[in-house]
Amino acid sequence: MTLVTMGPMLKRAQSAGYGIAAFNMIDYNSARSIIEAASDLDAPMIVQVSVKTIRHWGFKPIATWVRMLAEGVDVPVALHLDHCSDVEVIKGCIDAGWTSVMFDGSALPFAENRQKSEAVYKITEAAGVGLEAEIGAIGGVEDDKFVAEDASILADYDECVAFVSNMPNLAVFAPAIGTAHGFYKGKPKIAYDLLKRITATIPIPIALHGGTGLSQDQFDNCIAAGCAKVNISTMHKHQFIEGFIEVRKQKPKLEEPLPFIVGQYTAMKKDVCDMIVAFGSKGKAAHVAGKAA
Ligand SMILES: [Zn+2]
């Protein structure tokens, strides 16, 4: 299929109570593992890319890989830019064929974040691209930004309401609800009451950041409360590295590179499949496309 925008599919996922996985790709092998896992399980998928990864490969190679892989399968795939505070990178993604982008102004004072998010919203609406915007501070490391887990700041409910008021077509909203990027050191305290209060009044699907390491109960509760986009980055990176190393451990003398790539692919794909099942989006490809009840 051609790449799709994520807004409509997230709305359908939210109203039916399942989550769509959003995996951070690293390279072609990783993108392939993500998209082929989705195809095997007949699931919708969001392939997202960090600014760091775009700076490494360039816009065009990434857009070309993901478009080509998506066109080879029958499930809807969106290409999304993860946490980005640089409007030039956002424009570069739109020009290269990304179907959605995230503007992350969460480090800015509220009024400035709101104003800049609204400016980006005008750009994405004109381009027919979905937008994700964030408020509060999600803990952990994202690219070069570090927020201590215990210093993460929950989104303020009244600010959430004001923040989205001029962005009715926002594809997905990312209020900080107590989750963090990276591996958790302690048990994350998720602010379910805040999440439920937000989704009761704001008709926009919610993004759950920091998905790696949450329990099935936590996924279930967050998804039931309106989190329709569930981000996984840390575990995917872990499988990328460990999948490679595992082949070396088993075959110390092997000098052929392809089995290493296959080991990596297999490890990454298994985790993607497990998360699709955990989020309830297995078999939902037709549903998100509006072709099934
Ligand atoms: Zn994030």
Side-chain angles (χ1 to χ4, degrees):
M1 289 175 65
T2 48
L3 291 170
V4 301
T5 59
M6 68 181 180
M9 61 179 190
L10 290 171
K11 271 199 173 4
R12 288 187 68 88
Q14 190 191 37
S15 58
Y18 60 89
I20 300 179
F23 273 85
N24 284 64
M25 61 160 277
I26 301 147
D27 66 354
Y28 175 77
N29 200 29
S30 142
R32 191 176 158 199
S33 75
I34 297 165
I35 291 170
E36 292 185 352
S39 176
D40 284 3
L41 297 191
D42 196 30
M45 180 56 67
I46 297 165
V47 177
Q48 57 187 22
V49 195
S50 71
V51 174
K52 197 163 51 179
T53 302
I54 292 172
R55 294 205 200 283
H56 181 81
W57 295 113
F59 294 99
K60 205 171 168 192
I62 292 173
T64 305
W65 296 333
V66 175
R67 193 184 312 120
M68 188 183 71
L69 288 162
E71 283 171 1
V73 298
D74 280 329
V75 296
V77 176
L79 174 57
H80 180 60
L81 167 66
D82 200 12
H83 296 274
C84 181
S85 55
D86 183 340
V87 178
E88 290 312 308
V89 174
I90 288 175
K91 287 178 180 166
C93 285
I94 293 172
D95 290 346
W98 262 249
T99 55
S100 66
V101 295
M102 175 175 188
F103 174 72
D104 179 357
S106 61
L108 302 168
F110 172 73
E112 198 181 343
N113 181 13
R114 181 181 179 184
Q115 181 225 330
K116 291 204 166 151
S117 296
E118 287 179 1
V120 174
Y121 179 75
K122 289 197 179 85
I123 296 170
T124 55
E125 283 299 287
V129 160
L131 177 65
E132 173 174 356
E134 172 179 334
I135 65 172
I138 295 165
V141 181
E142 181 64 44
D143 275 1
D144 299 323
K145 192 178 88 177
F146 175 75
V147 179
E149 248 172 61
D150 50 9
S152 62
I153 300 161
L154 292 181
D156 175 82
Y157 173 77
D158 293 327
E159 287 185 352
C160 288
V161 173
F163 186 72
V164 300
S165 61
N166 290 328
M167 299 188 284
N169 203 27
L170 195 63
V172 64
F173 178 40
I177 53 165
T179 56
H181 298 121
F183 286 114
Y184 289 98
K185 289 174 205 80
K187 192 172 188 285
K189 288 190 205 75
I190 300 175
Y192 294 113
D193 290 346
L194 172 65
L195 174 60
K196 286 178 191 161
R197 204 171 161 212
I198 291 168
T199 51
T201 47
I202 297 175
I204 297 171
I206 302 296
L208 181 63
H209 285 250
T212 295
L214 297 184
S215 67
Q216 183 66 52
D217 276 356
Q218 289 170 320
F219 285 133
D220 289 347
N221 292 336
C222 287
I223 292 167
C227 290
K229 173 175 181 276
V230 186
N231 291 5
I232 302 285
S233 176
T234 302
M235 183 51 84
H236 193 66
K237 291 181 196 167
H238 180 79
Q239 301 295 356
F240 182 93
I241 295 167
E242 294 303 317
F244 203 94
I245 290 172
E246 195 51 42
V247 176
R248 174 49 89 214
K249 276 191 201 153
Q250 287 174 13
K251 298 175 180 168
K253 294 199 162 45
L254 185 66
E255 294 301 333
E256 267 301 315
L258 288 177
F260 290 91
I261 305 280
V262 172
Q264 239 182 349
Y265 171 88
T266 308
M268 290 187 284
K269 189 177 178 186
K270 184 187 179 304
D271 184 59
V272 178
C273 287
D274 289 348
M275 292 301 109
I276 288 170
V277 172
F279 306 158
S281 58
K282 183 181 174 186
K284 298 294 186 189
H287 180 264
V288 287
K291 292 178 196 151

